[in-house]
Amino acid sequence: MSLPMLLMTIPAFVGVLLYNLRRWIWIQVTLVCGTMLLLFMLVQQAPVDQLVVLAGRDMYFRSSWEILGRAFVLVPSDRSLLTFIFISVFLFAVSGAVVSVTTLFYPVVLSLVSIIMAIMFVHPFIYAALFIQIAAVACVFMIADNVYSRVTGALRYLSFASIGVPFILMAGWQLEMYQVRPDDNLLLLQASWMLGVGVLILLAVVPFHSWIPIVARSSPPIVAAFVIAVIQAVMFFFLIDMLVQFDWLRNNMQFFLALRISGMLMIVTGGVFVFAQRNFGGLMGYSALIDWGCTLVALGLRLPNSVEIAAMIICTRVIALIVWGIGAGTIFNNNNSTWDVRLHIRRNPFATVSMIVGGLSLAAMPLTAGFPSRWALLQMLAGIYPNYAIVLLVAGLCAWMGYIRVIAETVDLTGIIDGDMYRTTSESRGTIGLSVFVVLSLIIFGLVPQWLYPKAASMFEHIAMILV
Amino acid sequence: MNSASQIIEVLLPLGSGYVAVVAVSIMAPILVVVDDRRLVIVALAVLYLFVSLLFTNVLAPQIAGIKLIVYMVVWIIIFICVQQKGWRYGEYSNEIGGLIVSAKIRFRVFAVIVAGLVGWQLIETGKLPFPIVAESVTFGATQLVCQGLMLLAITRQPLKVGIGILIMFSGFGLLYSAVEPALMVVGMLGLIDIAVALVICYLELVWETNTNKEVST
């Protein structure tokens, strides 16, 4: 039996089943979580390319699956990345159960897990570009529906993905040509350009970033958080995979310079626009843009430690966005207008705290999970590129100021401090308990980052070892 | 598939060369400029027919037949979507009344000319990273890519954005098929075309709900 085939088909089949069960949310959540646990066990425990006895039967899990002349191969370094994906999907599925999501969220999430694995496993890599396009199409089905019917974000996302994918396909062809004509360095140069441009478009580098704040404003918060945290992380994993696979790309200093510049562009743009936001969705979108910029800058530094910091940023972003999503989803439940945002906030004080703390963690406020990795990056940049460090610091301050401004406009702080709001809350005990739990988790990870760091760093240890 | 390739073989002498390029170069700008859905649907059908014929220059007729089938499926999906939603945009229409042309149309005509010139210059300067199979085919492909990108940039309607993506992909497919004629790639690109058509119809219908809500309130 082929392990990649098993991993890819299980979520696809369960996804089809879920589509028929979409009225029953808790059954969907249970099935998604069960599937993620099963996949997690398979990835962690299944012995690859070895004969084992399972329930009295001989089992042999192959690491590759050949279909129509193409191979889907599971390499050891994929295990930690898949673990990240499965845990993230598990957490988002649980979070989605307590807040409002689009009708197709759960079936699409499971189909996306299959597609994500196809992106990671497929050889040659040009086919990954085709799967990326299919993933983008699938994402649109969960970004918008009849309730969340502002489609601009979904359209922009689809458009930018569609513009980025052809570049990667062209890069693949040029690399094939280079194997035929190894003396022609122009092909390699063109392939680097094409690959760089394609991946940067997919990673929402400025000016291809506009879908992020729009989706953050107009989609269900948990769905927006999922796309920004997990789907974009998969694009980043694709970039890491390219760097591991091609030593000419890894040794191309200009490529890393482009990553640093792109990251700084995202940080500057995020810093400029985050201050002008008037709602929490926009704040989250531009804070996430700054955070993604930090990830690119960390990778662009081309140091083993900086790559581990990038991994830590990605992990803490997922936690922060889940906390934000639970809070924002509870407050704006089935309500995509913000005309009565103050009323909703007054009725949901615990969810408000959750949304604010999650957002501030994304903006790397001290004592939250987002801060340690940002601080580590800042220290690293201060030693190598002090100008970058100053820009990053200013952008971070702008994000904090933006939050303070919106909080001052929309939240009745005296009510929260006096305790009036907590006594008159309309939140259920479950929501209160969950909000308290996620906020405490975020603060604990901020205070004790060493609990998370080794696990996050293991995601990219394969590239950290070869980046010397 | 057999019948599709037979259709291709019958139509092949009619216009797989300059006739197809001219047809594509006229239909793509119409799709960018015009908002009238009846005209858009007809123009898309003609465009897809001639793009399929252009594919015979870079692919075997049987595989070009697959492209024709894919485009027929895409067109049917879009046709059904438009029929569901209605043939008029109402407040968004920008019909030409007498000799008075709206500013939107004038802007779009200007944008189409610019995109056409960019596409033409890409071939003239030889900056394309693709081998040129036939200059006419490459010209048609670059026109499709540039007009598709222009359509993406200047419109907000889901259907037209989707058509922009589809036009861009068809132009890119013409260029890419010359270097990667593998059946698997052609099939995957066809699958993507159908998926994009489906998702655009979904967004169009969702978008309709939104505009209906606004009207009713």
Side-chain angles (χ1 to χ4, degrees):
Chain A
M1 189 181 287
S2 163
L3 190 57
M5 183 197 73
L6 202 62
L7 291 172
M8 285 159 58
T9 48
I10 289 173
F13 278 120
V14 180
V16 173
L17 179 67
L18 283 192
Y19 180 76
N20 295 304
L21 297 170
R22 59 189 184 281
R23 282 186 182 183
W24 296 282
I25 188 100
W26 281 104
I27 294 176
Q28 290 190 75
V29 175
T30 311
L31 281 173
V32 172
C33 292
T35 309
M36 287 306 112
L37 285 174
L38 177 66
L39 294 176
F40 177 77
M41 293 290 286
L42 274 173
V43 163
Q44 290 295 321
Q45 302 294 329
V48 178
D49 293 330
Q50 290 173 35
L51 192 66
V52 288
V53 180
L54 193 71
R57 289 185 177 183
D58 289 343
M59 294 285 283
Y60 186 81
F61 287 110
R62 278 183 287 116
S63 62
S64 68
W65 179 37
E66 283 84 30
I67 179 168
L68 296 171
R70 273 76 201 171
F72 293 88
V73 185
L74 173 70
V75 292
S77 59
D78 286 340
R79 286 176 187 256
S80 50
L81 298 178
L82 287 175
T83 305
F84 165 81
I85 300 285
F86 297 152
I87 292 173
S88 303
V89 171
F90 182 93
L91 294 174
F92 272 104
V94 174
S95 312
V98 292
V99 296
S100 166
V101 290
T102 43
T103 323
L104 294 174
F105 178 66
Y106 290 105
V108 170
V109 160
L110 273 190
S111 66
L112 276 170
V113 171
S114 282
I115 298 167
I116 286 168
M117 283 191 272
I119 292 169
M120 290 166 75
F121 296 159
V122 73
H123 287 277
F125 82 93
I126 53 164
Y127 291 95
L130 300 172
F131 285 115
I132 287 171
Q133 179 68 40
I134 293 172
V137 168
C139 279
V140 170
F141 284 106
M142 66 177 183
I143 290 175
D145 70 357
N146 285 331
V147 178
Y148 296 90
S149 54
R150 278 181 282 178
V151 299
T152 314
L155 276 175
R156 291 253 178 109
Y157 177 63
L158 184 66
S159 301
F160 289 143
S162 304
I163 292 170
V165 163
F167 284 99
I168 296 170
L169 288 172
M170 285 196 284
W173 168 70
Q174 276 155 342
L175 286 179
E176 279 178 17
M177 290 302 293
Y178 179 71
Q179 285 168 356
V180 179
R181 299 197 305 246
D183 297 333
D184 193 350
N185 285 327
L186 183 66
L187 285 170
L188 214 51
L189 184 71
Q190 284 180 336
S192 307
W193 267 100
M194 296 289 175
L195 204 57
V197 172
V199 170
L200 291 180
I201 291 173
L202 292 174
L203 281 170
V205 166
V206 176
F208 302 98
H209 69 286
S210 58
W211 65 268
I212 291 184
I214 299 175
V215 167
R217 276 193 292 260
S218 59
S219 298
I222 276 290
V223 176
F226 180 78
V227 174
I228 292 169
V230 180
I231 302 298
Q232 287 304 97
V234 173
M235 303 304 160
F236 194 77
F237 296 163
F238 177 68
L239 171 61
I240 294 284
D241 200 23
M242 294 297 99
L243 289 171
V244 172
Q245 215 171 331
F246 303 118
D247 53 349
W248 53 266
L249 191 63
R250 214 165 46 238
N251 297 323
N252 186 344
M253 295 302 156
Q254 286 178 331
F255 186 80
F256 285 90
L257 175 67
L259 288 180
R260 287 198 299 274
I261 292 172
S262 305
M264 289 312 296
L265 266 175
M266 290 170 93
I267 290 168
V268 170
T269 309
V272 168
F273 285 98
V274 74
F275 191 68
Q277 297 308 303
R278 291 192 168 271
N279 60 59
F280 286 101
L283 278 175
M284 183 280 263
Y286 282 106
S287 302
L289 193 70
I290 296 173
D291 211 41
W292 267 112
C294 292
T295 318
L296 281 188
V297 170
L299 182 64
L301 289 176
R302 205 185 173 278
L303 296 167
N305 290 344
S306 68
V307 176
E308 289 172 355
I309 289 171
M312 182 72 176
I313 295 174
I314 289 173
C315 288
T316 52
R317 184 185 305 129
V318 169
I319 301 169
L321 282 174
I322 286 173
V323 177
W324 179 87
I326 288 172
T330 309
I331 294 166
F332 305 112
N333 204 6
N334 279 329
N335 174 37
N336 53 4
S337 73
T338 52
W339 63 273
D340 53 359
V341 66
R342 285 185 188 179
L343 183 67
H344 284 288
I345 284 175
R346 190 171 297 159
R347 283 179 182 168
N348 300 284
F350 288 93
T352 304
V353 172
S354 171
M355 179 177 69
I356 290 172
V357 173
L360 287 174
S361 174
L362 199 63
M365 181 67 101
L367 300 179
T368 60
F371 178 71
S373 49
R374 184 75 67 87
W375 182 247
L377 178 65
L378 208 58
Q379 281 182 317
M380 199 173 271
L381 282 174
I384 311 168
Y385 302 106
N387 296 342
Y388 287 10
I390 293 167
V391 172
L392 178 56
L393 195 64
V394 172
L397 287 173
C398 285
W400 298 353
M401 294 299 289
Y403 269 99
I404 290 167
R405 186 162 153 266
V406 174
I407 288 168
E409 281 177 6
T410 54
V411 182
D412 178 16
L413 285 173
T414 52
I416 287 182
I417 294 164
D418 295 346
D420 289 344
M421 275 172 116
Y422 302 108
R423 282 188 284 277
T424 57
T425 176
S426 62
E427 290 168 300
S428 65
R429 285 185 182 177
T431 311
I432 293 171
L434 186 69
S435 300
V436 171
F437 174 72
V438 291
V439 167
L440 282 178
S441 308
L442 206 59
I443 292 169
I444 288 169
F445 280 124
L447 293 173
V448 199
Q450 55 270 32
W451 286 0
L452 189 64
Y453 185 77
K455 292 176 183 66
S458 70
M459 283 202 315
F460 293 157
E461 66 182 2
H462 58 299
I463 187 168
M465 281 191 294
I466 51 178
L467 276 184
V468 181
Chain B
M1 195 180 97
N2 218 2
S3 55
S5 63
Q6 280 168 359
I7 294 169
I8 288 281
E9 279 166 19
V10 170
L11 292 172
L12 201 56
L14 292 175
S16 60
Y18 284 101
V19 176
V21 174
V22 170
V24 162
S25 305
I26 293 169
M27 292 305 145
I30 287 175
L31 287 170
V32 179
V33 173
V34 175
D35 270 346
D36 187 327
R37 292 174 162 224
R38 288 162 296 194
L39 204 53
V40 165
I41 289 293
V42 173
L44 188 67
V46 176
L47 180 107
Y48 271 163
L49 179 68
F50 282 101
V51 170
S52 303
L53 289 173
L54 280 178
F55 267 106
T56 56
N57 291 288
V58 288
L59 294 171
Q62 288 82 2
I63 301 177
I66 296 174
K67 279 282 180 192
L68 180 62
I69 290 171
V70 166
Y71 288 150
M72 281 161 72
V73 172
V74 167
W75 185 83
I76 288 167
I77 292 169
I78 289 175
F79 177 80
I80 291 170
C81 169
V82 172
Q83 206 175 29
Q84 288 284 317
K85 164 145 187 176
W87 291 92
R88 297 176 69 85
Y89 266 117
E91 59 181 312
Y92 290 98
S93 72
N94 48 6
E95 289 166 5
I96 300 167
L99 291 174
I100 301 166
V101 179
S102 69
K104 194 188 209 177
I105 295 278
R106 274 178 280 166
F107 170 73
R108 285 186 181 181
V109 169
F110 176 72
V112 157
I113 292 169
V114 171
L117 285 174
V118 170
W120 175 57
Q121 278 299 307
L122 276 174
I123 307 172
E124 286 294 305
T125 51
K127 285 188 176 170
L128 274 180
F130 288 101
I132 292 176
V133 181
E135 204 153 276
S136 58
V137 177
T138 313
F139 178 77
T142 53
Q143 287 301 313
L144 286 169
V145 171
C146 291
Q147 302 295 0
L149 283 172
M150 186 56 75
L151 193 47
L152 279 183
I154 65 173
T155 185
R156 287 192 307 169
Q157 302 157 8
L159 189 77
K160 298 228 36 189
V161 171
I163 289 174
I165 294 171
L166 290 168
I167 294 176
M168 188 186 72
F169 275 165
S170 60
F172 174 75
L174 267 174
L175 293 169
Y176 193 64
S177 298
V179 296
E180 188 72 73
L183 191 59
M184 176 83 170
V185 175
V186 174
M188 286 287 282
L189 286 173
L191 188 70
I192 286 174
D193 277 344
I194 293 171
V196 169
L198 278 173
V199 81
I200 286 305
C201 291
Y202 173 76
L203 287 179
E204 179 73 21
L205 295 174
V206 165
W207 188 61
E208 181 201 34
T209 313
N210 190 28
T211 46
N212 279 353
K213 271 182 200 164
E214 282 169 8
V215 169
S216 63
T217 52

